[in-house]
Amino acid sequence: MAELAEGITLRKGSALASFEVAEPQSAVLKLGGALKKEMGAELRARLVPRKGQTRIATRIGKTAPPGVHKATLVTNDGEYPVMVDVPVREKLRLSPGSISITGRPGERITAQLTVSNRGNVALPVSTGGVGGLFASDGLAGAFSAAYASDAEAPLEVFGEFILGLRRSYLGLMRLKLTSKDKGDLAPGESRALTGEFAVPEPLNAATQLGAGRRFHTTIVMPHLRLVARLTLSAPE
């Protein structure tokens, strides 16, 4: 195995090595240990000459286990020891990432969701979160209120704009996530969830609650986010 003045460490699938190749060529990265178990025995790599050195590029899977792993780069001219540095990647994703629901203030609405672990470490699944519901036409309504104001003083006109925004805010909608499965979610796994949305009663008595009016929010949770759109149904 060839020795180099400087070791080769692949980060995000690429590295600059001190040896030189005459022209672009293909190579093989032989894996071992946990990396081999997750990704197989070999990966294809590409070698490109660059100012007396060589650029190495390969594709490291997103679920590759984090840590520094030993590997061997096999080229046309020899074999070189390589360290593959895989950072921790924490990422969960909800499907659908955007959901539309219909209901009235005070109601609870359920929907089916799926959470997937797109990272490389096991992660706990959030039990829910909250997000403020804003009317989709709220900004336009606030501008209209300001433009239509009889006030002359700039601060009074601006006050009408702020009041218009406040009337377009319904309140905090709470999301509760439940599942039959418990425990952390392993990399590459998915889990069915039931989402329960609690539609708030309006904070402002002047908020319009006519059927068909739309509100929206983004609920941010640890490693997760969900865009929710609420359409008000007709009152019973």
Side-chain angles (χ1 to χ4, degrees):
M1 188 171 292
E3 294 185 2
L4 300 174
E6 296 182 4
I8 302 173
T9 300
L10 283 167
R11 294 185 175 90
K12 295 183 178 181
S14 67
L16 194 61
S18 59
F19 69 85
E20 186 176 1
V21 294
E23 59 184 8
Q25 61 181 261
S26 297
V28 172
L29 191 65
K30 291 187 176 181
L31 308 177
L35 207 56
K36 177 181 178 180
K37 182 178 180 181
E38 176 65 29
M39 304 184 63
E42 296 181 350
L43 288 178
R44 297 186 63 181
R46 184 68 176 167
L47 309 182
V48 179
R50 182 173 179 180
K51 298 180 180 180
Q53 297 179 305
T54 297
R55 171 66 66 182
I56 306 170
T58 188
R59 186 182 296 274
I60 305 297
K62 293 181 179 180
T63 58
V68 179
H69 308 272
K70 292 182 179 181
T72 301
L73 181 69
V74 182
T75 73
N76 293 340
D77 302 318
E79 298 184 359
Y80 302 90
V82 174
M83 304 302 290
V84 182
D85 187 0
V86 181
V88 172
R89 186 169 181 267
E90 298 178 330
K91 185 175 183 180
L92 298 178
R93 178 173 293 178
L94 277 175
S95 179
S98 177
I99 193 167
S100 296
I101 57 177
T102 302
R104 296 290 301 172
E107 292 183 353
R108 295 181 181 271
I109 305 160
T110 60
Q112 300 306 308
L113 303 164
T114 300
V115 60
S116 302
N117 189 337
R118 302 295 182 88
N120 60 5
V121 292
L123 291 171
V125 178
S126 176
T127 57
V130 296
L133 280 170
F134 297 87
S136 299
D137 61 355
L139 187 59
F143 274 116
S144 297
Y147 293 149
S149 174
D150 294 329
E152 296 293 335
L155 285 179
E156 292 182 11
V157 175
F158 182 66
E160 290 293 337
F161 176 76
I162 297 300
L163 289 175
L165 289 180
R166 294 182 66 181
R167 287 191 294 271
S168 71
Y169 177 66
L170 186 60
L172 290 174
M173 182 166 68
R174 299 187 179 276
L175 168 63
K176 180 181 179 181
L177 296 174
T178 57
S179 174
K180 294 180 181 178
D181 300 318
K182 306 300 179 183
D184 292 352
L185 190 64
E189 289 188 349
S190 297
R191 181 177 297 172
L193 300 174
T194 297
E196 182 184 78
F197 298 86
V199 183
E201 297 287 354
L203 293 177
N204 192 321
T207 300
Q208 296 180 9
L209 301 176
R213 195 176 193 198
R214 294 184 175 90
F215 294 79
H216 64 272
T217 186
T218 298
I219 301 173
V220 179
M221 298 160 280
H223 311 297
L224 284 174
R225 60 188 291 128
L226 176 67
V227 176
R229 296 178 174 85
L230 169 70
T231 300
L232 295 182
S233 57
E236 295 181 355

